């Protein structure tokens, strides 16, 4: 299969090693037909990624990359989908939902680490071209000491998920679980932003920005 054929190219996933991201091996003729048929359903994969996560474009692109990598690997390792799996597009949509939910779980875990004691991970990152997510977290990092003192744990988690990951209130409530609701998330975010606009907190953050 030629690298010039876009339908045969494995979309690159952020953080994936180049030798893995661009490895394109021949599929069997029947598997190749299924790949081309499934790849023609790219808009539905994009729609599922967004509807199940409400994440920004760059995050949905990461989810799409994972979906196509999973599908291609399945076709390469196990051959064409058989009748026991059902409609090929149904299989694709199942993979898309699975990868979307897995991505949301990772977002929650990364946000928890960021709000917790793992800020040093940002200082030790080796990626010379950070993703939009990494850059958003890096921009928040200097202010975290102040935010921890001024906001409750719930408010801080909501603030990070909203500002760094651009999540909407319903998605944040689902991620945080427990007693969190979309209304309590909106209240927490409104309170956090109001507090950050206060003169006292503004002065503290301003000192950090000047340093």
């Amino acid at each position: 299969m030629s690298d010039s054929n876009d339908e045969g190219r494995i979309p690159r996933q952020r953080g994936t090693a180049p030798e893995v991201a661009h490895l394109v091996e021949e599929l069997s003729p029947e598997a190749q037909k299924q790949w081309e048929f499934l790849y023609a359903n790219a808009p539905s994969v994009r729609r599922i990624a967004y509807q199940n996560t409400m994440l920004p474009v760059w995050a949905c692109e990461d989810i799409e990359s994972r979906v196509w990598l999973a599908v291609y690997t399945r076709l390469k390792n196990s051959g064409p989908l058989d009748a026991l799996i059902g409609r090929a597009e149904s299989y694709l949509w199942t993979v898309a939902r699975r990868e979307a939910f897995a991505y949301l779980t990772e977002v929650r875990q990364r946000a928890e680490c960021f709000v917790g004691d793992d800020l040093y991970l940002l200082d030790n990152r080796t990626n010379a071209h950070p993703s939009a997510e990494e850059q958003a977290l890096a921009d928040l990092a200097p202010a975290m000491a102040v935010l921890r003192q001024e906001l409750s744990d719930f408010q801080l988690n909501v603030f990070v998920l909203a500002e760094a990951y651009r999540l909407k209130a319903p998605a944040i409530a689902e991620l945080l679980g427990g007693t969190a609701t979309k209304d309590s998330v909106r209240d927490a975010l409104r309170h956090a932003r109001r507090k950050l606009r206060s003169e006292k907190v503004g002065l503290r953050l301003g000192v950090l920005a000047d340093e």
Side-chain angles (χ1 to χ4, degrees), residues 108 112 154 172-182 184-185:
R108 183 185 65 240
E112 288 174 350
F154 182 67
I172 294 175
E174 184 175 349
L175 275 178
L176 295 180
T179 59
T181 65
K182 62 181 181 181
S184 67
V185 166

Side-chain angles (χ1 to χ4, degrees), residues 59-161:
C60 290
E61 288 176 349
D62 275 356
I63 295 171
E64 286 183 73
S65 295
R66 295 183 182 200
V67 171
W68 295 122
L69 187 59
V71 170
Y72 184 88
T73 300
R74 165 63 176 78
L75 292 174
K76 178 172 68 71
N77 292 341
S78 302
L81 306 173
D82 56 40
L84 293 177
I85 292 179
R87 296 172 60 205
E89 57 266 49
S90 296
Y91 167 77
L92 175 64
W93 298 333
T94 297
V95 173
R97 285 190 291 269
R98 183 188 69 204
E99 293 297 339
F101 291 135
Y103 195 91
L104 272 181
T105 299
E106 292 176 18
V107 165
R108 183 185 65 240
Q109 292 171 342
R110 290 197 297 270
E112 288 174 350
C113 288
F114 179 76
V115 173
D117 299 322
D118 292 335
L119 286 177
Y120 71 90
L121 293 175
L122 290 172
D123 296 327
N124 294 337
R125 65 187 185 280
T126 57
N127 187 359
H129 303 287
S131 67
E133 170 199 331
E134 291 169 334
Q135 188 58 55
L137 290 175
D139 291 341
L140 279 176
M144 284 303 292
V146 174
L147 299 182
R148 282 200 189 100
Q149 294 174 10
E150 298 293 340
L151 304 178
S152 69
D153 289 344
F154 182 67
Q155 291 168 354
L156 187 54
N157 275 288
V158 167
F159 183 76
V160 169
L161 288 169

Side-chain angles (χ1 to χ4, degrees), residues 18-38:
E19 62 271 16
V20 175
H22 298 295
L23 180 61
V24 179
E25 298 179 13
E26 283 290 338
L27 298 174
S28 69
E30 186 60 31
Q32 177 64 28
K33 288 180 183 178
Q34 285 190 345
W35 168 260
E36 293 173 0
F37 170 76
L38 292 171

